[in-house]
Amino acid sequence: MIVDNGGRISEKVNSNLFELFLKIKPIGKGTGLGISISYQIIVEQDQGKLECYSQLGKGTEFIIKIPMNLN
């Protein structure tokens, strides 16, 4: 689990958070969040879950769940 106590992610950004090439900074000010790559690895490759919860005044929380392979 990754948690911060800063601002929050707006509903508009949060609804598209895992889309490839999503940028929340102006053009030329960063390369994006890297969330789509994380999503591909965690969800598509490892059959896990990547969840994001954001509340005004409380910050943002990312929860990463990866199944254990017991074989």
Side-chain angles (χ1 to χ4, degrees), residues 32-68:
L33 294 172
I35 297 292
S36 63
I37 293 170
S38 300
Y39 184 86
Q40 288 174 351
I41 293 169
I42 294 166
V43 176
E44 296 173 9
Q45 180 179 323
D46 294 335
Q47 288 77 47
K49 292 184 180 183
L50 178 56
E51 302 168 352
C52 176
Y53 301 98
S54 188
Q55 292 181 328
L56 183 60
K58 294 188 178 183
T60 301
E61 174 181 39
F62 286 92
I63 299 174
I64 300 168
K65 298 177 182 177
I66 301 173
M68 293 177 52

Side-chain angles (χ1 to χ4, degrees), residues 6-31:
R8 67 182 290 269
I9 298 173
S10 71
E11 292 298 324
K12 180 180 178 183
V13 171
N14 201 8
S15 66
N16 299 307
L17 192 60
F18 300 116
E19 289 183 13
L20 188 59
F21 305 122
L22 172 70
K23 292 185 67 132
I24 59 172
K25 296 180 180 180
I27 294 175
K29 300 289 183 184
T31 59

